[in-house]
């Protein structure tokens, strides 16, 4: 008997009702156990397999098996350069995103004229902070104090500060305008599982996204040099109080992405370069990360692991990244990360198939290094104890808001801190 070419692991649900329409809220089983499952038909953006319930992976004969004890309700591992989805689990399940939605916020407004240049200052008013949700994560923005746009973006990415998000939204034109722009940008990116209610990702009725969509947001955002720098920043100085006759105080903030900075029970991940974590009581823990090893760059998203282990979302993301780096070239992709709607693919293929091969991009921008106020440090890990400049890759060449969406081009992260990997 000829050798089996590949092992197909596909977990599917019972027959799905084709007439069910998925609304803004997430569709889950009414089962009261601790293991709910999606019950409504999920999107097929990126390929039909991604719309199936359960784990989707096609292992070749030499491929490693998936990690054991994965408890995330939804997750995805994809090649950031080619867009190939190596494996997924309920990747289109519409779930609360928590602060990972800030990736869409940043990708939508970061380059807006209202927020340029990064040295632009803004004196915060009571109105700017009036709608910050009770119990929100905060960086410590205060009324009647002045901050640069650069300061505020550090607050968004490092401390997941909803206060910083609301001030930037106010500068952009207000929360309603920001939400409308974010929703339009999500639709342009073909992130059709996403319904935006608040720009900061704070729990709100009907606010949902998916592991697939969050990965699209990261892939799009990483094409921006400033986005790459902020999401890879480990520590920074943030402006504090200003007392009469004295120099303004500052305090250090640290990135809450524990695969970047480490914590008790979790070490910095070798090759990590961002992107964003989140937590609310409704969403649980969510995380999207990007990492590079041996010339390969992978994206991973994990949403709401049900494990009660400390830092479970990071540990499961790390194990999926480890698997992905070992599995590249040994698995048959189960789908792809689609280009934005305006992508010029030259194939005419639509959303359901995920489009076709892209044309290659234009020249990249040069490193800028430090900018704005304060001191920042970015984290990276090298091979054989030697730090390397990590590379971030994008999607396909498209005309998007007068800019260029790039594929197959590596982007060095600026001012990386050289340090020995601990993993």
């Amino acid at each position: 008997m000829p050798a089996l070419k590949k092992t197909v692991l596909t977990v599917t649900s019972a027959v799905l009702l084709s007439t069910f329409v998925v609304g803004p809220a997430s569709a889950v089983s009414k089962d009261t156990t601790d293991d709910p499952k999606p019950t409504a038909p999920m999107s097929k953006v990126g390929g039909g397999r991604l719309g199936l319930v359960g784990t989707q992976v096609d292992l070749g004969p030499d491929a490693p098996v998936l990690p054991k004890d994965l408890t995330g309700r939804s997750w995805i591992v994809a090649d950031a350069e080619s867009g190939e989805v190596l494996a997924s689990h309920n990747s289109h399940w519409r779930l609360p995103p928590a602060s990972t939605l800030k990736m869409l916020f940043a990708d939508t407004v970061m380059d807006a004229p209202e927020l340029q240049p990064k040295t632009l200052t803004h004196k915060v008013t009571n109105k700017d902070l009036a709608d910050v949700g009770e119990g929100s994560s905060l960086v410590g923005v205060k009324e009647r104090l002045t901050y640069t746009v650069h300061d505020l973006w550090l607050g968004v990415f490092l401390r997941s500060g909803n206060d910083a998000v609301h001030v930037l939204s106010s500068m952009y034109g207000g929360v309603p305008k920001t939400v409308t722009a974010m929703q339009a940008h999500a639709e342009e990116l073909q992130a059709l599982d996403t319904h935006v209610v608040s720009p900061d990702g704070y729990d709100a009725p009907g606010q949902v996204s998916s592991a697939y969509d969050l990965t699209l947001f990261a892939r799009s955002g990483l094409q921006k040099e400033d986005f790459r720098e902020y999401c890879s920043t480990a520590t920074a100085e943030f402006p504090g109080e200003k007392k009469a006759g004295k120099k303004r105080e500052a305090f250090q903030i640290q990135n809450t992405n524990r695969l970047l900075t480490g914590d008790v029970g979790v070490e910095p991940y070798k090759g990590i370069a961002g992107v964003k974590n989140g937590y609310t009581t409704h969403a649980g823990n969510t995380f999207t990360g990007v990492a590079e090893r041996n010339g390969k760059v992978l994206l991973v998203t994990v949403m709401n692991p049900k494990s009660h282990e400390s830092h479970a979302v990071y540990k499961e993301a790390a194990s999926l990244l480890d698997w992905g780096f070992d599995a590249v070239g040994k698995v048959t992709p189960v789908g792809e990360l689609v280009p934005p709607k305006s992508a010029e693919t030259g194939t005419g293929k639509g959303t359901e198939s995920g489009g076709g091969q892209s044309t290659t991009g234009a020249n990249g921008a040069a490193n800028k290094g430090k900018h704005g106020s304060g001191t920042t440090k970015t984290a990276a890990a090298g091979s054989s104890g030697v730090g390397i400049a990590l590379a971030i890759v994008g999607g396909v060449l498209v005309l998007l808001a007068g800019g260029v969406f790039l594929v197959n081009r590596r982007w060095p992260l600026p001012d990386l801190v050289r340090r020995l990997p601990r993993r």
Side-chain angles (χ1 to χ4, degrees):
M1 179 181 293
L4 184 62
K5 295 289 184 182
K6 58 185 177 181
T7 302
V8 181
L9 298 177
T10 305
V11 181
T12 59
S13 68
V15 177
L16 300 174
L17 299 177
S18 61
T19 57
F20 192 98
V21 178
V22 181
S26 55
V28 298
S29 169
K30 293 182 179 179
D31 188 357
T32 58
T33 68
D34 195 35
D35 188 23
K37 294 179 175 62
T39 58
M42 292 185 290
S43 169
K44 295 182 180 179
V45 172
R49 291 282 296 276
L50 302 184
L52 300 178
V53 174
T55 301
Q56 309 300 319
V57 63
D58 286 350
L59 300 177
D62 298 322
V65 297
L66 282 166
K68 297 180 180 179
D69 302 323
L70 293 174
T71 68
R73 291 184 177 180
S74 175
W75 53 259
I76 189 170
V77 185
D79 187 312
E81 184 171 11
S82 68
E84 293 177 344
V85 176
L86 306 182
S88 69
H89 180 80
N90 300 332
S91 63
H92 277 295
W93 192 359
R94 306 177 82 186
L95 296 167
S99 287
T100 45
L101 194 65
K102 289 182 172 74
M103 295 186 295
L104 175 61
F105 168 71
D107 190 36
T108 301
V109 307
M110 183 169 281
D111 290 341
E114 295 89 343
L115 302 179
Q116 302 302 318
K118 293 186 290 293
T119 54
L120 179 68
T121 60
H122 177 77
K123 188 173 183 179
V124 176
T125 67
N126 292 335
K127 184 178 178 181
D128 294 338
L129 301 175
D131 295 327
V132 176
E134 184 178 354
S136 289
S137 55
L138 305 172
V139 66
V141 174
K142 301 297 183 183
E143 298 90 341
R144 296 181 294 281
L145 292 182
T146 299
Y147 301 86
T148 66
V149 168
H150 176 67
D151 295 329
L152 295 169
W153 281 123
L154 288 171
V156 170
F157 277 92
L158 274 67
R159 296 299 303 171
S160 206
N162 290 3
D163 46 359
V165 169
H166 280 258
V167 174
L168 287 166
S169 296
S170 179
M171 295 174 68
Y172 179 69
V175 168
K177 178 183 175 182
T178 304
V179 168
T180 298
M182 289 171 65
Q183 189 65 56
H185 189 47
E187 292 170 4
E188 161 61 20
L189 295 177
Q190 301 203 63
L192 306 183
D193 299 322
T194 298
H195 181 70
V196 183
V197 178
S198 67
D200 51 26
Y202 192 75
D203 286 339
Q207 181 152 273
V208 290
S209 190
S210 67
Y212 185 89
D213 285 10
L214 294 174
T215 308
L216 291 182
F217 301 152
R219 195 183 192 207
S220 179
L222 287 166
Q223 320 238 350
K224 294 178 171 65
E225 184 177 0
D226 288 335
F227 187 107
R228 294 192 301 275
E229 181 171 349
Y230 290 128
C231 81
S232 66
T233 298
T235 63
E237 295 295 310
F238 194 80
E241 296 183 2
K242 176 68 170 72
K243 296 180 180 179
K246 295 185 178 181
K247 183 180 179 181
R248 187 172 182 181
E249 298 176 357
F251 57 93
Q252 187 180 85
I253 56 175
Q254 183 183 62
N255 202 311
T256 55
N257 173 358
R258 297 311 181 195
L259 289 191
L260 190 69
T261 59
D263 198 9
V264 176
V266 60
E267 297 179 344
Y269 187 81
K270 180 181 178 181
I272 193 70
V275 174
K276 191 70 189 74
N277 56 301
Y279 173 79
T280 67
T281 54
H282 189 46
N285 286 287
T286 60
F287 175 71
T288 298
V290 62
E292 184 268 353
R293 283 190 193 173
N294 301 319
K296 280 292 183 181
V297 184
L298 298 184
L299 282 162
V300 62
T301 296
V302 177
M303 300 186 75
N304 199 357
K306 64 178 183 290
S307 170
H308 297 297
E309 184 180 5
S310 176
H311 296 315
V313 73
Y314 300 112
K315 293 175 181 179
E316 294 189 19
S319 66
L320 284 169
L321 284 169
D322 284 343
W323 174 85
F325 286 119
D326 288 341
V328 169
K330 302 174 184 177
V331 297
T332 300
V334 296
E336 66 174 338
L337 301 178
V338 296
K341 288 181 179 178
S342 56
E344 292 183 348
T345 63
T347 65
K349 292 183 179 180
T351 298
E352 291 294 314
S353 62
Q357 288 298 110
S358 66
T359 56
T360 55
N363 292 332
N367 251 348
K368 290 183 180 178
K370 293 180 182 179
H371 56 76
S373 61
T375 302
T376 63
K377 293 184 179 181
T378 52
S383 55
S384 301
V386 180
I388 60 173
L390 300 185
I392 303 299
V393 293
V396 294
L397 176 67
V398 304
L399 303 177
L400 179 59
V404 179
F405 197 93
L406 300 171
V407 68
N408 297 333
R409 178 158 298 282
R410 300 191 176 280
W411 299 92
L413 293 173
D415 296 335
L416 295 176
V417 176
R418 281 16 181 193
R419 60 181 176 146
L420 296 178
R422 289 189 285 162
R423 179 180 175 81

